Structure formats: structure tokens, C-alpha cells
């Protein structure tokens, strides 16, 4: 009998095609970003220097990163207990919530922002005029589908009923059960919800623009319209920063143990 | 004095009566198995005792204290579940330690208790393994240690062996009984496996349709079933519907065959009864001159090898009988052989049947 020694040659071919699809645009952008802004000639790191020394870059990046963290925290605080409760006590409501979670996909952001501006009109300035209030609220809604479907998959992968009852029979209260038993076992799902929320917030343009907030995507768009080479540098840097932020989340959320996070067995 | 009492428990789910007034009284340190088919209400009863559900009516009393409305985390009930219930994010040691941490026990105390319990279930070597690194049997052992760690007032086991293979199941049930006797802990055990229930319990309660059909020691349940359902459910039983012909002599008639059954003495003539005969009590021999007294003449239909015994199915004028013979004796009665099945007068039991209803059958003998 002949033993297979490794993946077929065609696997490498398609892997290469896939890699090229992603790498070529990045490499082209990188080459473009090396041109000097004033002469258009290669090769200089002036565009990167311009970005790094731009105050708006750091300011908008800070705003967007903090907004992302705020959105992630609010979303997880709101949806982890809710989805846990739905799975445990009212599973018939799950399809209803799944349907609600699809609405931000269906309603275009431009319509959503007009609606939200009307709804929140009249709220205090600390909420309506600040990104930490209005924008964070809008982003929680915008990230709802990603948060819900990630967490829902996590809860479906564990036996919520048995783990909860086991924990309670050992004397644990509801909060202890949620924090010590349930949360560690949906950690991967919570992390994936956080990744997706981070990506949504760092890339969201329409709502921030129409609500007149100065976030990182707004800065990116402004640079793109006015300075071609620094825009390419900024694009690459934002790409790298997003990956860095995701890596940080992964490191923060990583656990020491060897759990698989899945409970088997019949019920 | 009763340590655990379930008093007139009722629980409905919509139109389904899961529990229809069950009463159980269990002494301290005793082991009771709730036995019955799926949907009989045994798990519902256990969940009410654990506090995961509330009865519509009735009370649960532990050591003289009404715990019916107390939340599950304050009941001090150790529980082992049917599904693997270890916390996947914790090692075996951390799982066992969990309840002790909740109770605020100090570290040294916790360490000693965990080591003691893991030793008790023979898993001290696997203390640092995560659940996915343990076999099903090992996981249930850790779950048992975890349930016992909190020194519960009552230990509840909800079909803890049903997901395990046959050999591990037998080993572990013996271990559960050993540990229960060693610790003297009051235990309520739910199972649908009658062999399991009979093997390890002080008392068995057979449930059907939300009520307890009969409760007694395993020997009582096996030798003296009180209802047709119990007779059907516990072990294998030949059941012959009959009419009492002569209550003074103990004569009954089944499908034209007259049988003398000691248990029928004193019965009213014309009463409908069910004659119950265990397969091992039925005497089978090769036919020489047709049926003799108290016997059926018939033919061997099938032989099923069960190891030390062989089970023979015999048919006689539409009556199906099952007899267990030693495998050596069964070899002399091959399929198709003409045989005589003698009904022992003293070994047969009797149950009254309602005069106007069928009362039977509940299960098919072929399934046993």
C-alpha cells in the first residue's frame, strides 16, 4: 500500500493563489507608499514619518481604539448574560433574538444613523455630543450581529443546563456560575465577538462621518483624499495596527489551561 | 426515622402529569433507586429533590426540615448527572475543589479533602488532567468525588452510568455502592436499568406514569411484584392471563389448560388473574407422552445463549413461554424439539386483574 507523504501539489498551487490574492495588493501599496510626496519618486520613508508625526493620527487612533474597547465591554456585559439566560431559561426566544440581530445587517448604516440621531436628540450633551456616548451606543447596535452569532455559537457548543446545574448543586450562586463556570467555557466565542467588534469599530465610517465625529476612519479618508502616498502608508499602518490590536486581545484572553470548551454526553 | 421524605409530590408540564402524587420515605444512609422507563417521572422527582424544579404540590423534607422552596445552591445536595458535567476549564482536582472553594474552606483543608476523595475514587494519579483527557468512566468518578466533596446531606445520581460501556458500568456501579456504604450517605439513584437498581440498592421504587407502582427491597421487587407493570419491568416474567376455577384448591385456567397454583387459594371463583412465573422456575423437559398435570406441551421455537444459561422460547397452542436452562441441559432440547413445560405450583405468583379491562400487555416478552 502506498502511503501519502503530504498534501498534493495542487494544494500548494491554490494556497499560493490565495496568498497572492492577499499579498500582492499589500505589497503594491507598500511600494506606492515609498514614493516621495513632493516628487513622486522612490524610495523614501517620508510618508511613514509624516503619519507618525501627525497629531490627528494619534488623536483619532486613540478615539477609535477607546471606542472599540468601550463597545466590546458594553456588548459583552449586555449580551453574555442575556444570551446565557435565553439558552438556559427561554430557548424559544433564541430565533427572535437571532432575527433582531440580523437587522443591523439589513438596515444600511446611513438610515440607521439618521434614525439614531432622531432617537437620541434631546439626550444630554455628555451622551449626544461625545463619541463615548452616541457613537458607542450606535456601535453596540452595529456590532450586535457579530456579538450575538459568535456568543450563540459558543453557548451552543457547551451543555449550558448541565454545567449550570452542576455548579448550583455545588453551592454556587448565579453570578459565580456565570463568571467561574460559563464564561471560561465560552472564552473563544467571547474573543471572536471582541475581534469582530474591534474590526467593525476601527473601520466604521458612515455613522461617524454623518454624526460629525472625528475617528480614525474619518482621518484615513481625509488623508486619502488629500495626500496619495501618506494615505498608502496610513492604510498599511492601520492594517498592521488592527492585527496588533487583535493579537493583544488574543493574548489578554488566552488561558493557561487545556480546556476544549466542549461538554459532551446525552441529556 | 425518615431522613428524606417526598410527600405527595405533583408536577405537571402542560397537560402531561409528570408526577402524580408520589410519596417516598428514606432512612439516613439508605440507598433508594427510582426505576422506570423513559417518561415515568423519575428524573423529574430527582430534579425536585435537587431544587432545579419546584413541585406544583407536595413537600420535600430533609432531616425534618422542609426544603421545597430552598434554591438548589443552598440545599447541600451532591449530584452526579447523566451527561458528563465536569467543568471543562478545570482539572479533575479543581473540579472536586470547586464546591469547597464556594464554601470558603481554607486551602490546606481543601487540598486534604480533594486528595482524600480522589483517592476514594481511585483517581489520585489523574488529578491534574482536564476532563477531555479523561475517559467517560473517569469523568463520572471525578463527578462523584466532586459531589461528595461538599459532604452533602443527600447524594443524587441521575443515570450516571448510562453513557458508559457495559463493563465500566458494572465496575462503577459497584464502586458507587462501596463508597456509599463506606460514607453512609443517603442516596437517591435514578436509572432505567433494572439490573443496576437491583444490584446496588437497599430499596427500589418502580415508577410508571408519574406514580410509584411498588417500593420494596430488591428481593421483594423480584419475587413479589405487586402490579402487572412491575412484574413486566423487573426481570423477565412469563405472564399468563387466567380465570380462577376453584379458589379452594387453587385451580386456574389459561387457554384451556388447568393449572394448580398455590397462590390462587382463597381467590374468588371466576376472578381474572395474572399468573407470573420466572423463566428459571419453569421446568422444561423432553416430551414423552404429551402434557402432564400443571404443564404445557409445546415446541422449542428459539434458543438464546446467555452464557451460563440458555433461554428457550417455547410455544404451546398460542401461549408463549420463556424458560432458562443451564446451557448443558439446553443442548438436549434443540429448536423444534417437543417439550413439556411444568408450572411449579409453589413458585408461581398471582396478581388480580380488573374484571372489565385488559390490564395487559405492557411490554412484549420478545423484548426482554
Amino acid at each position: 500500500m502506498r502511503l501519502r507523504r503530504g498534501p498534493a501539489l495542487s494544494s500548494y498551487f491554490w494556497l499560493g493563489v490565495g496568498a497572492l490574492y492577499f499579498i500582492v495588493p499589500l505589497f503594491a501599496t507598500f511600494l506606492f507608499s515609498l514614493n516621495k510626496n513632493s516628487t513622486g519618486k522612490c524610495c523614501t520613508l517620508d510618508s511613514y514619518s509624516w503619519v507618525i508625526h501627525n497629531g490627528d493620527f494619534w488623536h483619532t487612533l486613540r478615539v477609535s481604539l477607546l471606542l472599540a474597547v468601550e463597545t466590546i465591554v458594553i456588548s459583552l456585559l449586555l449580551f453574555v448574560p442575556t444570551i446565557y439566560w435565553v439558552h438556559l431559561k427561554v430557548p424559544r426566544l433564541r430565533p427572535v433574538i437571532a432575527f433582531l440581530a440580523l437587522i443591523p445587517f439589513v438596515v444600511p448604516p446611513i438610515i440607521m444613523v439618521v434614525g439614531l440621531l432622531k432617537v437620541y436628540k434631546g439626550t444630554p450633551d455628555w451622551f449626544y455630543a461625545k463619541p463615548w456616548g452616541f457613537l458607542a451606543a450606535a456601535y453596540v447596535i452595529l456590532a450586535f450581529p457579530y456579538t450575538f452569532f459568535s456568543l450563540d455559537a459558543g453557548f451552543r457548543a457547551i451543555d449550558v443546563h448541565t454545567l449550570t446545574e452542576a455548579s448550583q448543586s455545588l453551592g454556587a450562586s448565579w453570578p459565580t456560575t456565570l463568571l467561574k463556570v460559563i464564561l471560561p467555557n465560552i472564552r473563544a466565542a467571547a474573543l471572536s465577538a471582541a475581534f469582530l467588534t474591534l474590526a467593525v469599530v476601527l473601520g466604521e465610517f458612515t455613522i461617524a462621518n454623518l454624526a460629525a465625529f472625528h475617528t480614525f476612519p474619518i482621518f484615513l479618508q481625509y488623508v486619502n483624499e488629500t495626500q496619495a502616498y501618506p494615505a498608502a502608508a496610513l492604510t498599511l499602518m492601520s492594517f498592521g495596527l488592527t492585527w496588533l490590536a487583535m493579537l493583544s486581545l488574543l493574548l489578554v484572553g488566552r488561558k493557561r489551561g487545556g480546556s476544549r470548551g466542549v461538554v459532551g454526553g446525552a441529556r | 426515622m425518615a431522613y428524606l421524605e417526598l410527600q405527595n409530590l405533583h408536577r405537571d408540564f402542560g397537560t402531561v402529569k409528570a408526577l402524580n402524587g408520589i410519596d417516598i420515605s428514606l432512612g439516613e444512609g439508605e440507598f433508594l433507586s427510582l426505576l422506570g422507563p423513559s417518561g415515568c417521572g423519575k428524573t423529574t422527582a430527582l430534579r425536585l429533590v435537587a431544587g432545579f424544579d419546584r413541585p406544583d404540590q407536595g413537600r420535600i423534607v430533609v432531616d425534618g426540615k422542609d426544603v421545597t422552596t430552598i434554591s438548589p445552591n443552598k440545599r447541600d445536595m451532591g449530584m452526579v448527572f447523566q451527561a458528563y458535567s465536569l467543568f471543562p476549564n478545570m482539572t479533575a482536582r479543581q473540579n472536586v475543589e470547586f464546591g469547597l472553594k464556594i464554601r470558603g474552606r481554607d486551602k490546606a483543608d481543601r487540598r486534604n479533602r480533594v486528595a482524600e476523595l480522589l483517592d476514594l475514587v481511585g483517581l489520585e494519579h489523574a488529578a491534574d488532567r482536564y476532563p477531555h483527557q479523561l475517559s467517560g468512566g473517569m469523568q463520572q468518578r471525578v463527578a462523584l468525588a466532586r459531589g461528595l466533596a461538599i459532604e452533602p446531606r443527600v447524594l443524587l445520581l441521575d443515570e450516571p452510568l448510562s453513557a458508559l460501556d457495559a463493563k465500566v458500568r458494572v465496575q462503577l456501579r459497584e464502586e458507587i455502592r462501596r463508597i456509599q456504604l463506606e460514607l453512609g450517605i443517603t442516596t437517591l439513584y435514578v436509572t432505567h436499568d433494572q439490573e443496576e437498581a437491583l444490584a446496588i440498592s437497599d430499596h427500589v421504587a418502580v415508577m410508571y406514569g408519574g406514580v410509584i407502582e411498588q417500593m420494596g427491597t430488591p428481593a421483594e421487587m423480584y419475587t413479589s411484584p405487586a402490579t402487572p407493570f412491575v412484574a413486566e419491568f423487573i426481570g423477565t416474567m412469563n405472564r399468563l392471563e387466567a380465570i380462577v376455577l376453584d379458589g379452594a384448591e387453587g385451580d386456574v385456567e389459561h387457554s384451556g389448560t388447568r393449572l394448580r397454583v398455590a397462590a390462587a387459594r382463597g381467590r374468588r371463583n371466576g376472578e381474572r388473574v395474572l399468573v407470573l412465573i420466572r423463566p428459571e422456575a419453569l421446568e422444561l423437559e423432553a416430551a414423552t407422552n404429551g402434557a402432564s398435570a400443571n404443564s404445557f406441551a409445546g415446541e422449542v421455537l428459539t434458543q438464546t445463549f446467555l452464557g451460563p444459561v440458555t433461554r428457550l422460547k417455547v410455544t404451546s397452542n398460542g401461549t408463549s413461554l420463556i424458560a432458562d436452562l443451564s446451557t448443558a441441559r439446553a443442548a438436549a432440547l434443540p429448536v423444534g424439539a417437543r417439550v413439556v413445560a411444568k408450572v411449579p405450583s409453589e413458585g408461581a405468583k398471582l396478581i388480580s386483574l380488573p374484571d372489565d379491562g385488559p390490564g395487559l400487555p405492557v411490554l412484549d416478552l420478545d423484548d426482554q
Side-chain angles (χ1 to χ4, degrees):
Chain A
M1 196 175 82
R2 242 183 92 198
L3 289 173
R4 286 192 65 167
R5 268 180 287 179
L9 206 62
S10 61
S11 309
Y12 289 112
F13 171 76
W14 288 114
L15 196 68
V17 170
L20 284 177
Y21 183 82
F22 288 104
I23 291 167
V24 167
L26 286 174
F27 189 65
T29 309
F30 175 66
L31 287 181
F32 190 70
S33 73
L34 294 178
N35 291 346
K36 198 171 174 65
N37 205 24
S38 51
T39 60
K41 287 187 179 164
C42 198
C43 292
T44 171
L45 292 174
D46 278 4
S47 296
Y48 292 91
S49 170
W50 182 89
V51 171
I52 288 169
H53 291 100
N54 191 306
D56 273 357
F57 167 73
W58 293 109
H59 170 73
T60 54
L61 186 65
R62 185 174 150 273
V63 168
S64 284
L65 282 176
L66 286 176
L67 258 177
V69 171
E70 189 187 355
T71 310
I72 289 168
V73 171
I74 294 173
S75 295
L76 292 181
L77 282 178
L78 205 59
F79 296 125
V80 169
T82 307
I83 299 169
Y84 171 46
W85 202 250
V86 166
H87 273 263
L88 194 65
K89 297 285 180 183
V90 272
R92 65 180 182 280
L93 274 188
R94 206 197 72 80
V96 178
I97 297 185
F99 175 75
L100 289 176
L102 286 174
I103 291 176
F105 276 150
V106 181
V107 179
I110 194 156
I111 294 174
M112 192 192 289
V113 69
V114 172
L116 288 174
L117 283 169
K118 278 198 169 218
V119 168
Y120 290 130
K121 199 175 177 183
T123 53
D125 260 11
W126 61 261
F127 179 84
Y128 194 64
K130 301 281 180 193
W132 324 121
F134 180 86
L135 263 192
Y139 288 168
V140 168
I141 297 169
L142 202 66
F144 181 31
Y146 305 100
T147 315
F148 173 78
F149 288 109
S150 298
L151 290 176
D152 185 55
F155 277 106
R156 279 148 77 108
I158 62 171
D159 189 340
V160 177
H161 284 91
T162 305
L163 289 182
T164 302
E165 288 177 355
S167 168
Q168 286 194 311
S169 73
L170 294 167
S173 60
W174 285 109
T176 308
T177 299
L178 183 59
L179 288 174
K180 297 274 175 70
V181 176
I182 300 297
L183 209 51
N185 290 303
I186 56 147
R187 201 182 60 253
L191 269 181
S192 110
F195 289 150
L196 292 167
T197 306
L198 180 85
V200 166
V201 174
L202 285 184
E204 202 289 321
F205 176 80
T206 317
I207 296 176
N209 191 37
L210 288 176
F213 289 110
H214 207 43
T215 58
F216 186 68
I218 305 292
F219 174 69
L220 186 64
Q221 198 271 343
Y222 167 75
V223 175
N224 203 33
E225 276 185 353
T226 54
Q227 315 209 43
Y229 304 121
L234 189 56
T235 303
L236 277 184
M237 287 171 80
S238 67
F239 184 79
L241 281 168
T242 309
W243 277 99
L244 204 65
M246 287 195 179
L247 201 65
S248 314
L249 262 181
L250 187 68
L251 289 174
V252 169
R254 222 162 106 174
K255 213 204 131 232
R256 298 147 293 166
S259 144
R260 276 184 181 166
V262 175
V263 183
R267 269 194 66 75
Chain B
M1 188 191 152
Y3 184 75
L4 171 67
E5 286 175 272
L6 280 61
Q7 299 173 353
N8 192 30
L9 285 187
H10 287 257
R11 183 71 176 103
D12 296 349
F13 295 107
T15 54
V16 179
K17 283 193 178 301
L19 288 180
N20 198 9
I22 66 162
D23 290 280
I24 288 173
S25 185
L26 193 61
E28 189 167 9
E30 289 185 329
F31 191 123
L32 170 74
S33 287
L34 295 177
L35 174 67
S38 297
C40 70
K42 55 191 190 295
T43 295
T44 303
L46 194 82
R47 290 177 61 79
L48 292 180
V49 177
F52 299 137
D53 196 9
R54 294 271 166 89
D56 298 322
Q57 196 186 316
R59 293 197 324 151
I60 297 155
V61 179
V62 180
D63 200 12
K65 190 182 166 196
D66 187 343
V67 299
T68 317
T69 54
I70 293 178
S71 58
N73 58 327
K74 295 194 172 82
R75 283 201 188 188
D76 277 333
M77 304 273 183
M79 181 134 178
V80 181
F81 296 82
Q82 178 182 6
Y84 300 138
S85 64
L86 295 185
F87 307 136
N89 56 312
M90 299 179 199
T91 61
R93 184 198 311 279
Q94 289 166 336
N95 264 283
V96 179
E97 199 180 13
F98 184 81
L100 300 172
K101 268 188 174 174
I102 299 286
R103 279 162 177 73
R105 300 269 282 265
D106 70 64
K107 203 172 176 182
D109 186 22
R110 288 198 316 252
R111 199 171 43 228
N112 292 338
R113 180 84 182 131
V114 170
E116 193 182 302
L117 282 159
L118 285 176
D119 181 49
L120 188 71
V121 297
L123 281 179
E124 63 279 23
H125 63 283
D128 294 317
R129 290 196 209 159
Y130 283 90
H132 71 264
Q133 296 166 324
L134 300 169
S135 68
M138 289 164 100
Q139 287 194 48
Q140 291 303 67
R141 278 193 182 94
V142 176
L144 179 64
R146 184 178 68 175
L148 292 169
I150 58 171
E151 292 166 30
R153 292 196 285 181
V154 180
L155 180 65
L156 307 171
L157 301 111
D158 184 9
E159 306 204 34
L161 311 179
S162 62
L164 307 177
D165 64 60
K167 201 169 178 181
V168 178
R169 214 156 52 214
V170 172
Q171 277 173 359
L172 198 47
R173 82 180 185 207
E174 283 164 7
E175 236 172 284
I176 288 172
R177 180 57 163 164
R178 172 184 64 80
I179 291 166
Q180 186 269 335
L181 287 172
E182 206 172 312
L183 301 179
I185 189 165
T186 311
T187 303
L188 201 55
Y189 188 96
V190 161
T191 181
H192 62 266
D193 184 336
Q194 39 109 355
E195 188 193 322
E196 200 172 284
L198 296 180
I200 60 174
S201 313
D202 292 316
H203 305 281
V204 176
V206 173
M207 292 184 67
Y208 184 63
V211 296
I212 292 176
E213 289 267 320
Q214 187 183 354
M215 187 166 150
T217 64
E220 283 167 1
M221 304 299 284
Y222 189 79
T223 55
S224 308
T227 69
F229 177 78
V230 176
E232 182 73 23
F233 198 75
I234 301 270
T236 303
M237 191 72 97
N238 289 295
R239 302 163 310 143
L240 308 174
E241 279 191 67
I243 305 280
V244 177
L245 293 181
D246 184 349
E249 293 295 325
D251 287 351
V252 300
E253 191 224 314
H254 166 79
S255 296
T257 304
R258 195 179 181 109
L259 302 168
R260 179 153 293 179
V261 179
R265 284 188 194 121
R267 298 274 178 165
R268 172 174 55 84
N269 288 350
E271 185 183 343
R272 282 184 72 220
V273 291
L274 192 63
V275 181
L276 306 170
I277 312 144
R278 291 283 178 201
E280 64 270 23
L282 205 62
E283 294 163 20
L284 217 61
E285 53 190 46
T288 45
N289 297 316
S292 53
N294 249 35
S295 66
F296 292 93
E299 184 184 326
V300 176
L301 208 61
T302 60
Q303 277 207 2
T304 310
F305 176 68
L306 300 175
V309 296
T310 293
R311 179 159 291 175
L312 278 70
K313 189 169 178 182
V314 173
T315 179
S316 165
N317 294 330
T319 298
S320 275
L321 295 165
I322 287 175
D324 286 348
L325 264 65
S326 73
T327 296
R329 276 195 62 207
L333 303 171
V335 172
R338 301 291 305 168
V339 290
V340 170
K342 286 188 180 171
V343 174
S345 171
E346 299 295 328
K349 301 286 173 190
L350 220 67
I351 293 175
S352 297
L353 286 176
D355 284 339
D356 54 351
L360 279 179
V362 180
L363 301 171
D364 190 344
L365 276 172
D366 290 341
D367 293 338
Q368 297 178 3

